Amino acid sequence: MATSRGATLLGPDKLEIREYPIPDIPPDGGLVRVEMGGVCGTDVKYLHGKLQVPYPIILGHEILGRVEKLGKNAAAIHHVREGDRIILKGAIGCGRCADCRRNNQRFCKQRTNYGGRTKCDQPPHLFGGFADYLYLAPDVLATKVSDALPAEAAALVGSVMANGFQWAIRRGGVKTGDYVLIQGPGQQGLSCTFAARHCTRQAATGIGKKLRRSSHYQCGRRKCHRRDSHGDQRGNVRCGRGRLGQSESDTDVRRLFASAGHTGVGGLDRRYN
């Protein structure tokens, strides 16, 4: 019997490589051979028990792979063919729960959740990207990507970069001519900065707490200076009509920039006006 390895989380800090049978493929299902899986900060939190998940699960929700097999109805559902290279991002949800009705399908408890809430102890088992193969469920969003795109870039497009465009453009409402400030220059903040910069064509910048003395970001026609980590050289961050000098808390950012537009928190799918 053909099998697939999967990095299986059995509990906090209990990770094992286990083997699972390759499942029979139903008419609306499919099988994906994993090419690359991105490691998200959420995976680390799952690993160490900082976020609750039902055990056991196969970790990995940032997934790039190639369609190995499709059921007779699956091609029409996903608009892909066997051999296509795809990224997998979320699922459409049940369409009936309160979260789905608010257009927050990512929080639907009924949807397939790779590397998270969907357990791997029952067939078809393969519900995580840290594996050789993955089961392609009918409610999953699959997007075809070019073979010319490097694997590292393709994996980012389906995860971190998708978050940046969702939070900055779709949820944040950034439009041409806006000046944008993103607090926190980690991977997610940088993706929001990238998305905002390509949308507004004006100034978009990120700020953080650990930049070295005299460091700055070049953003459009402005330079946004930061104080150093010891606080003995203070600068100002200017963006639109806002000005941030001494405090970096979320509350201060929302208060200082509310007069110029609106602020939001990435990942919470809501705005602070």
Side-chain angles (χ1 to χ4, degrees):
M1 176 184 293
T3 61
S4 171
R5 297 170 298 172
T8 307
L9 187 64
L10 305 175
D13 296 310
K14 296 179 180 178
L15 188 66
E16 293 183 3
I17 303 297
R18 292 191 168 185
E19 290 199 0
Y20 299 90
I22 297 295
D24 295 329
I25 303 303
D28 61 353
L31 185 68
V32 175
R33 177 166 47 85
V34 177
E35 179 178 348
M36 177 169 287
V39 179
C40 176
T42 303
D43 295 317
V44 179
K45 293 176 182 178
Y46 287 159
L47 174 63
H48 297 307
K50 295 183 178 180
L51 289 177
Q52 292 185 349
V53 289
Y55 302 113
I57 61 169
I58 298 175
L59 287 174
H61 59 272
E62 300 180 357
I63 304 162
L64 168 70
R66 196 171 294 275
V67 179
E68 190 88 354
K69 186 183 298 185
L70 286 173
K72 64 179 182 180
N73 300 328
I77 293 173
H78 297 291
H79 305 288
V80 297
R81 298 181 296 180
E82 291 181 0
D84 283 349
R85 194 181 190 218
I86 62 173
I87 53 177
L88 299 169
K89 178 66 177 176
I92 60 177
C94 69
R96 299 181 298 276
C97 68
D99 286 314
C100 284
R101 292 197 299 270
R102 288 195 297 265
N103 199 31
N104 286 331
Q105 292 89 347
R106 61 183 298 180
F107 299 118
C108 174
K109 293 180 175 58
Q110 304 301 318
R111 75 184 183 110
T112 299
N113 185 232
Y114 289 137
R117 289 191 301 269
T118 304
K119 298 172 65 176
C120 63
D121 55 347
Q122 299 294 327
H125 301 293
L126 303 176
F127 289 108
F130 296 171
D132 297 315
Y133 290 91
L134 184 84
Y135 176 70
L136 182 62
D139 65 335
V140 169
L141 298 175
T143 303
K144 183 178 177 180
V145 295
S146 169
D147 288 338
L149 193 64
E152 293 85 354
L156 285 175
V157 166
S159 53
V160 178
M161 296 309 299
N163 287 341
F165 276 87
Q166 178 181 353
W167 296 342
I169 310 303
R170 296 183 60 188
R171 298 290 183 178
V174 174
K175 59 186 182 299
T176 301
D178 284 349
Y179 284 84
V180 183
L181 184 142
I182 290 116
Q183 184 185 21
Q187 294 180 357
Q188 304 290 355
L190 289 175
S191 70
C192 290
T193 304
F194 179 88
R197 185 69 181 88
H198 280 71
C199 176
T200 178
R201 310 307 301 175
Q202 293 292 328
T205 186
I207 63 172
K209 297 182 179 180
K210 297 183 179 180
L211 300 181
R212 293 183 178 179
R213 182 178 304 178
S214 300
S215 63
H216 65 268
Y217 290 117
Q218 181 73 42
C219 59
R221 295 169 294 172
R222 301 171 182 260
K223 287 184 179 179
C224 295
H225 294 271
R226 287 296 308 122
R227 64 187 180 188
D228 69 293
S229 59
H230 299 290
D232 57 0
Q233 177 179 340
R234 295 188 177 183
N236 292 317
V237 175
R238 297 173 181 266
C239 193
R241 288 177 283 162
R243 173 171 176 161
L244 182 62
Q246 298 183 6
S247 178
E248 297 176 347
S249 72
D250 293 338
T251 301
D252 289 331
V253 170
R254 291 197 292 269
R255 183 174 65 250
L256 289 168
F257 288 92
S259 63
H262 64 263
T263 61
V265 181
L268 296 186
D269 290 318
R270 58 192 176 104
R271 289 187 185 181
Y272 293 91
N273 293 313

